[in-house]
């Protein structure tokens, strides 16, 4: 797979194309939402199952809330330089959500935010618009962890293709592969109340 130019050089025509392709993809489909709680010491480690109220957490120490907004369908495109990229992820990166390569830990971004809604979560871009929306039951343990820290470990992007003959791999395995492929962006973002 060709990855987009990560040197920091931007091609304005390609950027405009990526934004248009991402906008078109967003009109066609939504996002799958994966939520979990994990250890504050290793928030980007493999997800722990979210315990039901009254059950002990598998995380050592304080827990944090994590959310992965995964587009239901990928929007692969090419830039003018011939690099293949996923347009929705590149749009998030253009708007300031940093790419999440394998060897790094995401930083804090205060220009994005995650908001709880009656049916799930919404990821808001720097202009305050809903960039991604996922429908899922959000357990109270996740909400409590997010409110306690005031932030959510947030991932946006596509995981590897799933094989129809095999069961879906765990989100942790798919997320590790997506980081290696350069198809996810991530940061600690504020919980918007």
């Amino acid at each position: 797979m060709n990855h987009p130019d990560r040197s920091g050089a931007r091609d304005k025509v390609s950027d405009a194309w990526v934004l248009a392709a991402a906008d078109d993809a967003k009109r066609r489909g939504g996002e799958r939402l994966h939520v979990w709680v994990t250890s504050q010491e290793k928030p980007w480690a493999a997800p722990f199952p979210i315990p039901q109220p009254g059950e002990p957490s598998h995380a050592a120490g304080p827990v944090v809330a994590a959310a992965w907004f995964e587009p239901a369908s990928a929007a692969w495109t090419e830039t003018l330089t011939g690099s293949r990229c996923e347009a929705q992820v590149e749009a998030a990166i253009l708007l300031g959500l940093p790419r999440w390569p394998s060897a790094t830990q995401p930083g804090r971004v205060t220009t994005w935010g995650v908001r709880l809604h009656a049916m799930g979560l919404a990821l808001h871009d720097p202009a305050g618009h809903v960039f991604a929306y996922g429908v899922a039951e959000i357990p109270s343990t996740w909400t409590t962890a997010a409110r306690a820290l005031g932030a959510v470990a947030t991932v946006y992007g596509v995981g590897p293709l799933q094989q129809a003959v095999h069961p879906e791999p765990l989100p942790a395995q798919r997320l590790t592969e997506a980081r290696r492929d350069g198809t996810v962006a991530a940061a600690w973002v504020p919980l918007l109340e």
Side-chain angles (χ1 to χ4, degrees):
M1 167 186 299
N2 292 332
H3 295 293
D5 180 9
R6 295 190 181 131
S7 68
R10 302 289 329 176
D11 170 349
K12 290 184 183 195
V13 174
S14 292
D15 287 353
W17 174 254
V18 162
L19 289 171
D23 192 45
D24 181 57
K26 287 195 166 302
R27 280 195 293 271
R28 287 181 284 141
E31 285 82 20
R32 289 185 292 265
L33 178 61
H34 311 282
V35 294
W36 65 92
V37 293
T38 189
S39 165
Q40 190 167 344
E41 287 78 30
K42 294 185 178 183
W44 303 99
F48 291 106
I50 295 178
Q52 297 301 317
E55 288 182 359
S57 170
H58 297 288
V63 295
V64 296
W68 177 11
F69 295 87
E70 184 180 16
S73 61
W76 295 105
T77 190
E78 282 191 20
T79 65
L80 287 177
T81 62
S83 297
R84 184 171 183 248
C85 64
E86 202 290 322
Q88 297 162 106
V89 175
E90 295 304 311
I93 292 165
L94 284 170
L95 294 173
L97 196 63
R99 185 181 312 280
W100 187 23
S102 296
T104 64
Q105 295 296 324
R108 289 196 175 269
V109 173
T110 58
T111 55
W112 288 72
V114 169
R115 185 177 309 265
L116 286 159
H117 287 282
M119 298 297 290
L121 297 175
L123 176 61
H124 291 261
D125 67 17
H129 299 122
V130 173
F131 186 84
Y133 187 91
V135 175
E137 182 178 340
I138 308 299
S140 61
T141 50
W142 189 96
T143 305
T144 300
R147 285 186 173 141
L149 192 58
V152 176
T154 304
V155 179
Y156 179 83
V158 298
L161 293 176
Q162 298 173 24
Q163 302 293 329
V165 294
H166 300 295
E168 178 178 348
L170 295 173
Q173 178 185 344
R174 295 185 66 244
L175 193 51
T176 298
E177 292 176 35
R179 289 178 67 190
R180 185 194 65 233
D181 293 343
T183 59
V184 288
W188 286 96
V189 302
L191 177 66
L192 305 173
E193 294 282 348

